Amino acid sequence: MYQKLIMAAAILAVCIQTNAQTLDKNYKSTNDGNPISPCVFCADPTAIDYHGRLYVYGSNDNQQYIKNGKTGGNGYGDIKSLVVMSTEDMVNWTFHGTIDVSSICSSWGWRFAASWAPSAIWRTNANGEDEFFLYFANSGGSVGVLKASSPVGPWQSPLTKPMIDGDTPGVKPCNWIFDPGAVVDENGTGWIAFGGGDPQASGSSLWPGNSRIAKMKPSMTAIDGSAVNMPAPYHFEASELNIIGGQFVYTYNTSWSDRDAWNTFANRNNQPAPSSCSMCYMVSGTPLTPDSWNYRGEYVPNEGNFGMGWGNNHTHLHKFKGKYYLFYHSTLLEQNMKNGGAMDSDASGYRSIGVDEATVNESTQTINKMTLTQTGVEPIGYVNPYVLQEAETMATSGGISYEDFSNISPNTRISKLGNDASRNMQVKMKPGSWTYIRRVDFGSKGASKFMVRAKGEGTVEIRIGRIGGKAAATIDVSSSDMNDYVVDIDPTKFDGQKNIYIAVPNGTNVYLDAWQATEAQSEDIHDISSSQSLKTQRYDLSGRRLSDNQQHHGVVIEQFTDENGVKHSRKRR
């Protein structure tokens, strides 16, 4: 009998282990905030906040990774699109797909080469309309601009050629006309900085002579006057602009040059020489006056111990909901994937965006020196499960991929994410894959129902607290089209603040579009007759309910109940 119990226990242990092995590995820990995307390589971040949501854009390193067959070095030449993500709480990020810049700028002809290092701004124009602008490096030879009426597009090229090139007044001589950094001042005037590269023939390692700043015309798509050369010591690339306390703050990445001439710099303000390839900043109240720029020193040293090797960096400083955050890139995801055996050892230079909280004194425009972390930032809100949540919103995941179902054909092996992909995004869940959502607030009454909008053949499990835990809800999916699958759940399990997993342990590929819970208190209060139809309710892509008279640019999600009492949801413009 004892031997039988031992044998049974051994078999049970093997079964548990086998079941655990069916779940895919994640390369971003559930306890960490960085990188912000658990599976998409992207770099050179910029951000805008709009109606309580922060949108982050970056160079699509993943495009180069796929083009290279998931091996080899990142040469950047095939990066011709930009990645878009957004968040409300700084830990759960919605992947909105990519902006296909090469298609948008097809009218440029041979003038278009690549799309790197975006810089985003928005404003309300004289007609009361919100306008969004994305400036990008067209390889190393010029700067382009895109325009939209929504932070997720659709984007258009307002010009038939680059906005800034070698013929723009004040630009020459400039080795690399790239890496734009834009900002809008309190008067609605746009400003843009750019430039980089090795020292000019007339320059030196201390004063390379490639940093530029210019005022923009009211259109935001042309330079007003001439660009000005800023005296940025050891400047190399990664321009970005902020306005803090009424002053212009210019940040940039330094070169690898020796620092032998540092002591000849009279206005170094007792700052030590910056380390190679670090982030520095300067401050001015009159940006077009070169001598007005005040060097403030290094705020991010080169993070050679943070999966960066000794590569470059590119930062964006942003104030969101009362706190300052610094966005940057590293090769942290690449290193995690290599360590986990999920990436070819010959692959290198595929970057990922991270974010850490920054300490900024607004009155003195001082940025405290920072250490970049894998832990990242603390959440600043909760996920509301009682409004429709996009399946692409998550803190981390294992085994998933994203697809734009309007651009996917049965024979397509690689996702072709195109312009304004957010309106058609879905998450591909192969057996063993899962997503993780942090800090979901079910409230004191809890939830009585859970809905997933899905298609495919398989089982969807909702797990609470840990991925290896028992399913708190199980939903069987079986359809070739997207349907709403609803199951009853125990409110005592789905109450308070919970971290939840949405897993697909078995089946054929399952595609998730959205999910939503129903609060327990609303259950069975009113019986809806088959002839009664509920009023349509509208939500934006982040799940916030929109009032009937509230204007909204871009895609909205509509929910309604038909005459048979069946609930439906659909995405519309």
Side-chain angles (χ1 to χ4, degrees):
M1 182 65 178
Y2 178 75
Q3 288 180 333
K4 289 181 179 179
L5 289 173
I6 294 294
M7 182 64 71
I11 293 173
L12 178 60
V14 170
C15 291
I16 292 173
Q17 185 178 14
T18 302
N19 182 60
Q21 288 173 344
T22 63
L23 296 176
D24 283 277
K25 181 176 175 60
N26 57 310
Y27 301 101
K28 172 188 175 181
S29 167
T30 55
N31 296 321
D32 292 332
N34 289 325
I36 62 176
S37 172
C39 55
V40 176
F41 294 116
C42 47
D44 307 319
T46 186
I48 58 172
D49 55 283
Y50 184 66
H51 291 176
R53 194 163 188 87
L54 189 69
Y55 294 83
V56 173
Y57 309 81
S59 305
N60 189 7
D61 281 23
N62 219 67
Q63 186 174 24
Q64 185 73 63
Y65 180 57
I66 298 298
K67 183 71 173 181
N68 286 357
K70 299 185 177 182
T71 189
N74 185 356
Y76 314 121
D78 289 299
I79 299 177
K80 302 178 187 295
S81 58
L82 302 171
V83 172
V84 189
M85 293 176 282
S86 71
T87 185
E88 285 186 322
D89 59 16
M90 296 303 296
V91 294
N92 294 294
W93 291 86
T94 303
F95 179 70
H96 292 288
T98 62
I99 303 169
D100 187 0
V101 183
S102 61
S103 295
I104 299 169
C105 297
S106 59
S107 63
W108 293 18
W110 61 269
R111 295 180 179 88
F112 177 80
S115 54
W116 309 335
S119 184
I121 58 174
W122 75 275
R123 67 169 184 182
T124 301
N125 64 22
N127 296 323
E129 302 166 331
D130 293 341
E131 296 179 315
F132 300 81
F133 299 88
L134 265 177
Y135 305 89
F136 65 93
N138 181 35
S139 188
S142 60
V143 171
V145 59
L146 306 179
K147 185 178 179 181
S149 58
S150 159
V152 294
W155 296 90
Q156 297 177 337
S157 175
L159 307 173
T160 58
K161 62 178 182 178
M163 171 181 158
I164 300 171
D165 58 21
D167 294 328
T168 302
V171 170
K172 289 183 178 179
C174 181
N175 284 342
W176 297 342
I177 307 170
F178 79 154
D179 283 10
V183 72
V184 179
D185 66 21
E186 66 277 7
N187 298 316
T189 301
W191 301 81
I192 188 167
F194 57 93
D198 294 324
Q200 295 292 327
S202 59
S204 65
S205 60
L206 177 60
W207 303 116
N210 295 309
S211 55
R212 300 288 185 275
I213 188 169
K215 181 181 177 182
M216 288 190 279
K217 291 183 177 180
S219 66
M220 300 287 190
T221 61
I223 297 302
D224 187 0
S226 178
V228 170
N229 187 359
M230 289 182 290
Y234 299 113
H235 173 268
F236 188 68
E237 59 184 339
S239 296
E240 189 62 283
L241 284 174
N242 284 88
I243 295 179
I244 301 175
Q247 300 288 299
F248 286 76
V249 178
Y250 172 66
T251 64
Y252 65 96
N253 188 251
T254 64
S255 68
W256 286 269
S257 301
D258 65 66
R259 303 301 194 245
D260 295 343
W262 180 247
N263 288 335
T264 67
F265 177 25
N267 297 319
R268 59 186 183 276
N269 293 323
N270 295 319
Q271 296 285 343
S275 57
S276 297
C277 209
S278 64
M279 297 303 303
C280 295
Y281 73 112
M282 305 193 305
V283 177
S284 172
T286 53
L288 296 182
T289 304
D291 292 342
S292 70
W293 286 98
N294 181 21
Y295 177 77
R296 293 293 186 85
E298 176 183 276
Y299 65 96
V300 179
N302 188 293
E303 297 287 341
N305 61 347
F306 189 63
M308 281 288 297
W310 285 96
N312 67 348
N313 208 333
H314 194 127
T315 67
H316 173 79
L317 184 67
H318 203 97
K319 188 176 183 180
F320 179 59
K321 296 184 178 179
K323 293 186 176 183
Y324 275 97
Y325 296 96
L326 187 77
F327 291 88
Y328 54 88
H329 65 229
S330 73
T331 54
L332 180 59
L333 180 61
E334 175 188 287
Q335 295 301 320
N336 290 346
M337 291 178 67
K338 284 183 177 180
N339 293 339
M343 193 171 184
D344 193 294
S345 60
D346 292 332
S348 63
Y350 299 102
R351 303 160 296 176
S352 49
I353 294 174
V355 61
D356 279 283
E357 192 170 342
T359 301
V360 178
N361 186 318
E362 294 183 335
S363 62
T364 63
Q365 298 80 43
T366 302
I367 309 172
N368 284 11
K369 186 172 287 190
M370 298 182 59
T371 298
L372 310 183
T373 72
Q374 185 167 318
T375 304
V377 303
E378 291 295 318
I380 57 173
Y382 293 92
V383 175
N384 182 357
Y386 303 122
V387 296
L388 196 69
Q389 296 290 342
E390 292 292 302
E392 306 88 63
T393 302
M394 64 192 73
T396 188
S397 63
I400 66 108
S401 58
Y402 303 103
E403 289 188 355
D404 173 354
F405 55 76
S406 69
N407 290 334
I408 295 294
S409 67
N411 297 323
T412 302
R413 297 184 61 190
I414 300 173
S415 297
K416 294 182 178 178
L417 299 174
N419 185 35
D420 197 26
S422 60
R423 62 178 171 174
N424 298 312
M425 290 301 296
Q426 59 188 4
V427 178
K428 183 177 181 180
M429 308 277 287
K430 64 183 181 65
S433 61
W434 51 274
T435 66
Y436 172 69
I437 303 101
R438 289 176 64 177
R439 299 233 301 184
V440 181
D441 188 1
F442 290 97
S444 59
K445 293 183 175 62
S448 60
K449 296 180 185 295
F450 201 99
M451 180 276 290
V452 295
R453 182 163 171 76
K455 70 176 182 178
E457 299 286 337
T459 301
V460 177
E461 292 184 350
I462 312 303
R463 303 181 182 187
I464 297 174
R466 60 189 186 92
I467 188 61
K470 184 179 179 181
T474 300
I475 304 171
D476 293 322
V477 174
S478 179
S479 63
S480 58
D481 296 318
M482 283 289 178
N483 284 323
D484 292 352
Y485 293 87
V486 183
V487 295
D488 293 326
I489 55 178
D490 183 353
T492 63
K493 294 181 179 179
F494 289 86
D495 66 346
Q497 289 83 42
K498 296 287 194 299
N499 298 323
I500 67 171
Y501 296 83
I502 302 178
V504 176
N506 58 68
T508 313
N509 287 334
V510 172
Y511 294 86
L512 292 184
D513 181 49
W515 64 271
Q516 185 176 3
T518 301
E519 195 169 11
Q521 68 179 27
S522 63
E523 185 178 9
D524 297 331
I525 292 178
H526 298 288
D527 292 327
I528 301 173
S529 65
S530 60
S531 62
Q532 184 180 11
S533 178
L534 289 181
K535 180 181 178 182
T536 300
Q537 296 177 344
R538 298 164 63 244
Y539 301 87
D540 66 14
L541 285 177
S542 66
R544 291 187 301 256
R545 185 172 176 179
L546 304 171
S547 63
D548 292 339
N549 58 359
Q550 185 175 353
Q551 293 185 349
H552 179 76
H553 296 290
V555 179
V556 298
I557 300 165
E558 290 185 347
Q559 287 187 330
F560 65 96
T561 301
D562 65 20
E563 60 183 7
N564 297 314
V566 178
K567 290 185 177 181
H568 300 271
S569 61
R570 62 193 177 193
K571 295 178 181 177
R572 300 188 62 176
R573 282 201 159 275

